[in-house]
Amino acid sequence: MNSQLKLSQLDRLSFDNRFVRELPADPETDNSRRQVIGAGYSRVLPVKAPQPQMVAYSREVAELLDLTPEDCESDDFLQVFSGNRLVPGMYPYATCYGGHQFGYWAGQLGDGRAINLGEIINSRGQRWALQLKGAGPTPYSRMADGLAVLRSSIREFLCSEAMFHLGVPTTRALSVILTGDEVIRDMFYNGNPKPEPGAVVCRVAPSFTRFGSFQIFTARRDIELLKKLADYTIRTDFPYLGEPSKEVYISWFEEVCRRTAEMIVHWQRVGFVHGVMNTDNMSILGLTIDYGPYGWLENYDPNWTPNTTDAAEHRYRYGNQPQIAFWNLGQLANAIYPLIGEIEPLQKAMNVYAETFEQSWQSMMGGKLGFKVYEPATDDELITELATLLQLVETDMTIFYRHLAKLDIRLASDNAGEENLIAAVNAAYYVPEQLTDEYKTRMASWLRRYLKRIQADAMPDEIRQRKMNAVNPKYVLRNYMAQLAIDKAEQGDFSVVNDLLELLRHPYEEQPGKEEFAAKRPDWARQRAGCSMLSCSS
Ligand code: AMP
Ligand code: MG
């Protein structure tokens, strides 16, 4: 009786698969790797998971789908979200897209290991697309197997939920489930393949359409299909812009520029480095998508990238993310040019990116520093000097801002000594020996100027502190923390995954007893694989 009840909840999900209804299907139905021409997607079934086992699920995402914790803990949930059972209304398919990888056009890419299950309409009328990542090969799998390993699945699951709770636009993750199969991976592409546990993540987003989804059709001169996808996207995800027309295509592109700018400002605020900002990894909705070899800035270093595949060029380094997003938007502009036929409005829209970025970045930095309003005349210089100081010695960005919020305003008038000032941010330094007298004098002088600046705002200390703490997280998914969760999970203990999920639900709050996770990266993690070095192998 009970299991029938649970079963019926998943069976009652209400599907409305608009994407497959409105875009042309691949006429070939065999699941062989190939170029798929003239189609938006190919039908494909997930492979069976021999022994699905729950690692973790997100109750907030479950709620979006009108599922209760009880539903998520049922055996039926395991069967459905590991890909073993299709519920009525599901229509599995993989989409076709292309992209620029590391600056070069790569041709067809597509959902090589993502299988869409369909779009559900929840009780609030919201549309949510469901996608299994790691559920087997598709026509777009190229040389690879279509599977995913536990470590990268945990990283995607935890980070997308952490980003959501930080207030960063992102795709979501419902669950991570072990399949019971082994997957062979050469983690660093250095001739050491080994079997690893396979897993499937169920991702959830209004849409998974990427810049590269448009690029592929233009590259193939299939303008009819380009227009179909653009019209579909505008009608489904940007209906407030009006019925598709030349003007609406332009305002749509402007909106994509605006949303992308906002997303990147959030990344810079929390210290998130995506690691693979290829155009196929850029969401048309301005969501963070495709969590692969991403990382979190620990010591502030604009040149840092977690991705070993990008070690030579550092194309996707923290400090370059705003420029890369702009470049990627330029590629999207090229792709939709045939719908508009004029360059000027596209260039104007690109300016919208630059302007939105500038404005949002200033208000974000003003927020991080606790200013009432960002005043370029004084604050530009203050921030430039801070960025220099943060790099002069290894300084943990997240800890620095939380401690700055606690800085006592009385230190401004007390003729406070250098030592007192530095002590306030001391917890953020990795290598105390780096703190030379010259550095200390320079930092103390910056702190004095900063205190004068906030004195001028005359905001009560507690209010400033509260405002700063609402935008400067205390807890982020430090790279080593994800690795701790993975190490345990690989031994069959999922408690750390679930503890971190809980911790990262409240990233801005003080969480007594959890301080160890707000501390600096431990020394052992400095050079360990998975903590400071990651590759695309996942
Ligand atoms: P990524 O770098 O993860 O964004 O992936 C780039 C392309 O490679 C996309 O088309 C992916 O679907 C595909 N891909 C990555 N890993 C696999 C895999 N294990 N099996 C099949 N396709 C994959
Ligand atoms: Mg990708």
Side-chain angles (χ1 to χ4, degrees):
M1 175 68 190
N2 207 10
S3 78
Q4 264 178 0
L5 267 180
K6 286 172 189 161
L7 196 127
S8 66
Q9 191 49 33
L10 290 175
D11 283 327
R12 275 205 301 265
L13 289 172
S14 161
F15 283 88
D16 175 37
N17 300 324
R18 198 163 167 182
F19 187 89
V20 292
R21 240 181 9 246
E22 296 196 9
L23 287 153
D26 177 2
E28 282 183 50
T29 50
D30 72 300
N31 188 1
S32 66
R33 287 123 210 240
R34 54 197 157 79
Q35 293 293 305
V36 174
I37 310 294
Y41 65 92
S42 309
R43 286 216 67 175
V44 57
L45 292 172
V47 291
K48 296 269 182 262
Q51 221 175 32
Q53 188 185 359
M54 178 65 83
V55 177
Y57 68 89
S58 157
R59 60 173 184 257
E60 293 88 355
V61 181
E63 241 171 67
L64 295 176
L65 310 181
D66 303 320
L67 298 175
T68 62
E70 197 192 14
D71 296 324
C72 297
E73 283 154 28
S74 68
D75 181 60
D76 194 40
F77 183 97
L78 274 181
Q79 300 303 333
V80 171
F81 292 105
S82 64
N84 280 349
R85 185 172 90 85
L86 295 177
V87 303
M90 279 182 179
Y91 187 100
Y93 64 96
T95 69
C96 182
Y97 56 78
H100 278 85
Q101 297 188 314
F102 296 93
Y104 298 96
W105 176 244
Q108 176 181 298
L109 298 164
D111 289 327
R113 56 158 160 189
I115 297 181
N116 302 276
L117 297 173
E119 300 147 50
I120 72 140
I121 307 289
N122 72 8
S123 55
R124 279 168 277 171
Q126 298 168 325
R127 175 178 298 272
W128 292 105
L130 308 181
Q131 183 178 84
L132 299 182
K133 185 165 174 181
T138 75
Y140 310 96
S141 296
R142 298 181 292 163
M143 314 296 280
D145 55 12
L147 303 173
V149 293
L150 181 62
R151 65 183 150 83
S152 60
S153 304
I154 288 176
R155 284 172 49 81
E156 168 131 24
F157 173 80
L158 282 179
C159 199
S160 38
E161 290 309 285
M163 291 283 267
F164 169 77
H165 293 293
L166 283 164
V168 184
T170 179
T171 62
R172 305 291 301 273
L174 171 65
S175 53
V176 49
I177 296 175
L178 274 167
T179 60
D181 253 338
E182 284 191 331
V183 175
I184 308 291
R185 284 291 180 274
D186 186 354
M187 191 167 163
F188 283 103
Y189 304 119
N190 59 2
N192 290 309
K194 68 173 182 92
E196 297 189 46
V200 172
V201 171
C202 178
R203 304 201 289 192
V204 177
S207 144
F208 291 98
T209 302
R210 299 132 192 278
F211 290 9
S213 310
F214 300 90
Q215 287 184 282
I216 189 70
F217 300 140
T218 309
R220 289 170 168 169
R221 298 191 168 68
D222 190 345
I223 306 310
E224 194 189 325
L225 199 40
L226 169 72
K227 183 171 179 319
K228 269 206 176 119
L229 181 63
D231 292 357
Y232 164 81
T233 300
I234 290 168
R235 290 192 180 117
T236 313
D237 297 308
F238 300 82
Y240 55 91
L241 295 175
E243 263 302 284
S245 67
K246 182 171 155 178
E247 285 64 40
V248 169
Y249 293 135
I250 295 166
S251 48
W252 167 56
F253 181 59
E254 271 181 21
E255 181 69 4
V256 177
C257 288
R258 214 172 283 124
R259 290 194 194 186
T260 304
E262 301 285 0
M263 174 187 78
I264 300 287
V265 169
H266 278 291
W267 289 4
Q268 304 307 93
R269 170 174 65 87
V270 299
F272 174 78
V273 188
H274 184 285
V276 212
M277 289 178 72
N278 294 332
T279 57
D280 54 303
N281 291 337
M282 297 290 292
S283 144
I284 201 70
L285 301 184
L287 304 173
T288 313
I289 191 171
D290 278 12
Y291 291 88
Y294 67 80
W296 291 81
L297 266 197
E298 283 163 336
N299 53 296
Y300 181 84
D301 175 6
N303 199 32
W304 184 69
T305 172
N307 185 358
T308 52
T309 315
D310 191 22
E313 257 195 77
H314 285 214
R315 177 181 173 85
Y316 297 140
R317 61 188 181 273
Y318 172 73
N320 211 28
Q321 297 189 125
Q323 282 73 23
I324 290 291
F326 185 76
W327 189 89
N328 288 344
L329 285 162
Q331 303 313 313
L332 178 62
N334 287 337
I336 63 167
Y337 170 78
L339 301 178
I340 294 160
E342 274 182 83
I343 292 177
E344 210 197 316
L346 290 166
Q347 278 172 337
K348 270 200 181 146
M350 300 278 297
N351 293 340
V352 169
Y353 172 84
E355 286 155 18
T356 310
F357 182 83
E358 182 70 10
Q359 275 172 15
S360 304
W361 189 83
Q362 288 185 351
S363 81
M364 176 275 283
M365 284 307 296
K368 280 184 88 67
L369 290 167
F371 301 157
K372 261 191 193 153
V373 186
Y374 187 94
E375 307 280 3
T378 49
D379 301 343
D380 280 356
E381 213 275 309
L382 206 57
I383 284 174
T384 309
E385 172 68 355
L386 176 61
T388 307
L389 282 163
L390 291 178
Q391 288 169 77
L392 273 181
V393 304
E394 268 185 61
T395 314
D396 191 280
M397 178 174 108
T398 305
I399 298 175
F400 180 84
Y401 282 104
R402 287 296 282 209
H403 279 75
L404 197 64
K406 285 192 272 194
L407 199 61
D408 189 339
I409 195 85
R410 281 169 304 186
L411 285 172
S413 48
D414 265 351
N415 277 340
E418 232 168 78
E419 292 298 332
N420 285 338
L421 284 158
I422 300 284
V425 292
N426 210 24
Y429 296 121
Y430 278 95
V431 190
E433 304 81 68
Q434 288 178 340
L435 304 181
T436 60
D437 287 347
E438 191 191 343
Y439 169 83
K440 283 195 225 168
T441 305
R442 196 166 160 184
M443 184 46 124
S445 132
W446 185 87
L447 288 166
R448 282 191 198 100
R449 281 170 56 204
Y450 171 71
L451 284 163
K452 293 236 162 61
R453 170 68 180 83
I454 52 178
Q455 243 180 352
D457 269 350
M459 203 190 299
D461 253 7
E462 331 78 76
I463 295 184
R464 175 177 62 91
Q465 207 178 95
R466 206 173 327 127
K467 283 179 68 150
M468 287 174 77
N469 286 348
V471 292
N472 294 316
K474 173 152 180 165
Y475 298 100
V476 294
L477 183 61
R478 290 170 181 274
N479 310 307
Y480 85 90
M481 285 161 52
Q483 192 57 42
L484 287 177
I486 291 164
D487 288 345
K488 280 272 192 244
E490 285 179 344
Q491 294 156 19
D493 174 355
F494 311 130
S495 59
V496 184
V497 179
N498 284 286
D499 290 350
L500 290 184
L501 179 64
E502 191 56 46
L503 177 86
L504 297 167
R505 279 195 170 107
H506 307 287
Y508 300 104
E509 286 170 26
E510 299 293 328
Q511 297 187 44
K514 299 289 168 66
E515 271 80 15
E516 62 172 312
F517 292 119
K520 281 176 287 202
R521 165 198 65 218
D523 239 15
W524 60 260
R526 192 177 279 261
Q527 294 304 334
R528 215 200 120 178
C531 299
S532 58
M533 298 173 288
L534 294 142
S535 78
C536 288
S537 167
S538 56

